[in-house]
Amino acid sequence: MIFNKLPFRAHSSIINRTSSSRTCIKPTFIRHVSSDIASTTPNTSTSTSELLELELDDSEFTSSTTPTAEMIQSYDPVGQSAARKKQLPSSRYRFRAPRYYRGPLHPHQPPHPSNPTARNYIPGPFSSPRLLQTYDSTLSHDLMILYYQHTPFNTPRPPIKERLRSWDDSSPYHKNRPLRAPRGTVKLGLLDKKITFRNIPQLSAITVSIVIPEASSDSRFLHTAGMMVQAITTQRATIYKARRTVSAGNRSQFSQRRGKPISVGTTMTGEQMWHFLSTFVGVVLPRIKDWQGVLARSGDVNGNYTIGVHRDVVELWPEIAVNYDA
Amino acid sequence: MTSSLRTLRRELSLSSSLFDRHICFNCLQVLSRPQQARNASTATVSAESVAPSSTNTPHRTAPSTATVSNPYHIKAGIVLSRPPLITRDLTSFEKAFFFYQRRLNERLALSFPRYFYYPEGTPGDTEWKRKMRERNTPAKDIGDYNAHKKDSWNDEILVGSKDSDPEQHVENLLQDAVIEIEEQIEGQDEVVKRRIEVERPQPRVTEADQTGDVTSLTRSLQRTIYLIVQDKDGIWRFPETDLEERENLKRAAERLLVQAGGINMNTWIVGNTPVGFHTLKYEESSSKPGEELLGEKTFFMKGRIMAGRFVLKNSPMALKAFKWLAKEELEQELDPLYFKSIRHMLVAQ
């Protein structure tokens, strides 16, 4: 098809403009499981009419035709392809995404990462996580109310206080000096942002890492820890190297050498993050004997929270425990 | 009161006139009122604005005794809700989409390293082989599909197939959790096979759903359900009460819950601010010029019920009945004007 040779943007605009091509794209034979949306929901309900408005074209979800029993019986894609005498031209079934991105003007553009033919395609999501549903239906609404601060309309915004102290210019040497740190505390905290319905606090990422001091001498520790991280997070672990050399004298378990591997870890976002959290909170923490709870003073005030667990606790993860049971 | 509000009030009191600033009417009233020890949330009414306690029903005529600066009589209401207890049912599109992604993943991911997890000849290996004979693939939620064959491109789900249904996945997991044990009884030669099955999960539809019991808290587990009560005039609405003297909205909401539904509830009032309000205009306002009462405003606090039950017995509020309803059911039950002013406080799910 000639459209494939055009850049993506040109291709889509042509498809949108020519109405004849739209009709030939329209499927003639509806057989997807998802097509039962149209047949089961009554057309009179408001939700369906809203859906219909959202749909730009006729699609399989709006069409009301359902396949007949004969159509279902006669549908046999494997048999059909086996009965074909000549092989289809490769352009009919094979599309290879370009290996490199050669700029926006190149005729061969890589597909979007969500496209299964893209080279960097990662499948998912596979489910609607339970904790995310709780956040959406319950937690976010409560958080918004708890963070609400009433300011009368047209209230002038209070000026931001001086964060870094300036010099009083009592000496000619004060000129061009960098500003001073705040009095008392060493760290400069983040500025407060007003919480509205647009920026309700939400969990964005979870990082799991294991520090292995022994890894600098024996790499087997590193592989084991990497497998553990991979098992509980379903993601490949990254090896982190020590940034500086620390000599701890007699306590050799705390010594590290710059550039040597010191820990493994990975960062989860999205669906996997929610599943990990629900396993951790719902399965692992309740299994800990004489558990004292998590530390309320842990983490900083800027929305980061840190929990450390003993190495015995890692064995309580179902993915790890199954190996001990077998 | 926040410090910024206090600063603003001081600033405004110093300025010559309040009215040359662009401030909305409500906020102006708040700012121009004499300062009391009061939180931002407390819509406390000054002593003269509190209506007599006998008029706790929505009267259409204004109480004649009231002499007020505020033309509206202020009330506190509570939107008590029980959040969803289980995950919602997936839409058919979500089912189809997730299934499509799972089969794609099966095609793209590395195959399951059986020899790593189950060394040859171990009991685990035997069990694994038995399970693989039953379902041709390691995954339990992609149906009968092998991703590593020549015709694996044929991964579309067919009409009428249950493979994308979560209920089917639960069945598959139950089937998979069955353990078969071969036992030899002492003194006998024969080997007895024993199947150990796991307990089935609780149903997602409860008895209260089936019997249509709207007073039960175990109904509609997938939805947020809200408490509405019927007063002695037969009007359905959220519980509401008059404010007692020097009482803020949160205190009033807490008192209201105890008076209306008893003490056998573990509740939590979310935050100190109301989440919405409803204005009821009186048909006849009191005659005194400048002191007339136009209607009443009910400010709703948000509450969550964690445990316990709402019971009407021995309630001093003379309520007739109560219901726990989801958003659409509320629309059927409540007065359209009332629902219009409260609908944005309610969660869709």
Side-chain angles (χ1 to χ4, degrees), chain B residues 163-174:
Chain B
D163 289 339
S164 66
D165 258 353
E167 290 88 39
Q168 186 61 41
H169 301 159
V170 172
E171 290 301 321
N172 293 348
L173 284 172
L174 287 172

Side-chain angles (χ1 to χ4, degrees), chain A residues 57-211:
Chain A
D57 296 316
D58 287 348
S59 80
E60 293 157 32
F61 290 98
T62 57
S63 123
S64 57
T65 49
T66 44
T68 59
E70 286 173 28
M71 286 163 127
I72 295 170
Q73 278 293 320
S74 62
Y75 186 76
D76 180 19
V78 176
Q80 207 179 343
S81 88
R84 201 176 285 128
K85 282 178 186 144
K86 270 203 287 185
Q87 206 181 9
L88 281 174
S90 63
S91 63
R92 288 284 293 279
Y93 62 91
R94 185 189 293 159
F95 168 74
R96 294 189 72 106
R99 188 172 293 212
Y100 306 110
Y101 176 61
R102 292 163 200 270
L105 298 177
H106 195 271
H108 200 184
Q109 292 286 317
H112 192 267
S114 65
N115 189 333
T117 56
R119 284 175 187 267
N120 53 352
Y121 170 73
I122 296 170
F126 308 112
S127 63
S128 173
R130 178 177 62 92
L131 287 185
L132 179 59
Q133 284 189 22
T134 309
Y135 175 83
D136 284 339
S137 70
T138 313
L139 200 59
S140 61
H141 298 266
D142 288 358
L143 280 179
M144 192 175 71
I145 295 165
L146 290 170
Y147 274 108
Y148 179 77
Q149 234 185 353
H150 182 71
T151 35
F153 182 63
N154 263 0
T155 310
R157 203 174 272 182
I160 298 169
K161 282 180 194 163
E162 192 184 51
R163 308 197 74 217
L164 293 170
R165 290 179 298 148
S166 53
W167 298 90
D168 56 356
D169 287 336
S170 58
S171 156
Y173 293 106
H174 286 169
K175 208 159 199 180
N176 292 334
R177 271 195 193 171
L179 298 176
R180 278 186 289 180
R183 211 183 281 276
T185 52
V186 181
K187 277 186 182 172
L188 197 62
L190 294 184
L191 280 173
D192 276 348
K193 211 191 232 177
K194 195 174 180 190
I195 303 291
T196 65
F197 68 97
R198 291 181 191 280
N199 58 353
I200 305 173
Q202 188 182 9
L203 191 64
S204 57
I206 294 180
T207 300
V208 176
S209 68
I210 302 179
V211 178

Side-chain angles (χ1 to χ4, degrees), chain B residues 17-53:
Chain B
S17 166
L18 285 173
F19 296 94
D20 52 0
R21 302 192 176 239
H22 300 287
I23 297 180
C24 76
F25 178 72
N26 290 341
C27 298
L28 195 64
Q29 272 199 326
V30 171
L31 291 168
S32 58
R33 212 177 285 161
Q35 197 169 349
Q36 292 168 355
R38 190 189 300 165
N39 294 328
S41 63
T42 49
T44 46
V45 209
S46 51
E48 66 265 40
S49 75
V50 175
S53 57

Side-chain angles (χ1 to χ4, degrees), chain A residues 145, chain B residues 41-42 75-81 238-239 248-254 268-276 298-304 345:
Chain A
I145 295 165
Chain B
S41 63
T42 49
K75 289 177 130 190
I78 181 148
V79 184
L80 191 66
S81 59
F238 292 127
N248 61 27
L249 286 176
K250 190 176 183 178
R251 284 278 170 78
E254 282 163 353
W268 173 51
I269 309 287
V270 185
N272 298 324
T273 46
V275 288
T298 311
F299 287 88
F300 295 106
M301 299 297 291
K302 184 176 186 174
R304 296 273 191 209
M345 300 189 292

Side-chain angles (χ1 to χ4, degrees), chain B residues 154-310:
Chain B
N154 180 31
D155 62 351
E156 261 181 315
I157 188 170
L158 297 183
V159 167
S161 170
K162 293 279 175 206
D163 289 339
S164 66
D165 258 353
E167 290 88 39
Q168 186 61 41
H169 301 159
V170 172
E171 290 301 321
N172 293 348
L173 284 172
L174 287 172
Q175 183 70 29
D176 193 67
V178 169
I179 303 168
E180 279 188 358
I181 298 176
E182 291 181 352
E183 279 181 335
Q184 193 160 19
I185 301 164
E186 281 181 24
Q188 294 179 16
D189 289 343
E190 61 179 328
V191 178
V192 183
K193 268 192 180 179
R194 204 151 61 88
R195 279 169 66 88
I196 302 173
E197 294 186 2
V198 292
E199 196 186 350
R200 291 190 71 83
Q202 294 293 313
R204 290 167 64 84
V205 177
T206 59
E207 200 185 328
D209 285 322
Q210 284 161 349
T211 55
D213 180 13
V214 286
T215 59
S216 169
L217 264 173
T218 53
R219 71 181 295 268
S220 287
L221 297 184
Q222 304 177 21
R223 303 293 309 276
T224 306
I225 50 175
Y226 298 93
L227 173 79
I228 53 168
V229 292
Q230 191 183 31
D231 61 12
K232 62 185 175 190
D233 297 337
I235 300 169
W236 284 100
R237 57 184 177 179
F238 292 127
E240 63 182 40
T241 182
D242 289 320
L243 291 178
E244 286 177 358
E245 199 176 332
R246 295 190 63 77
E247 186 180 45
N248 61 27
L249 286 176
K250 190 176 183 178
R251 284 278 170 78
E254 282 163 353
R255 175 177 57 81
L256 165 66
L257 270 181
V258 174
Q259 285 182 352
I263 54 165
N264 292 327
M265 274 188 296
N266 182 6
T267 53
W268 173 51
I269 309 287
V270 185
N272 298 324
T273 46
V275 288
F277 72 100
H278 169 65
T279 311
L280 177 72
K281 292 245 170 107
Y282 296 141
E283 279 166 0
E284 304 166 23
S285 56
S286 64
S287 54
K288 278 187 187 174
E291 293 175 355
E292 56 201 6
L293 204 55
L294 298 177
E296 61 187 36
K297 280 188 181 177
T298 311
F299 287 88
F300 295 106
M301 299 297 291
K302 184 176 186 174
R304 296 273 191 209
I305 182 163
M306 308 296 183
R309 286 177 63 195
F310 185 90

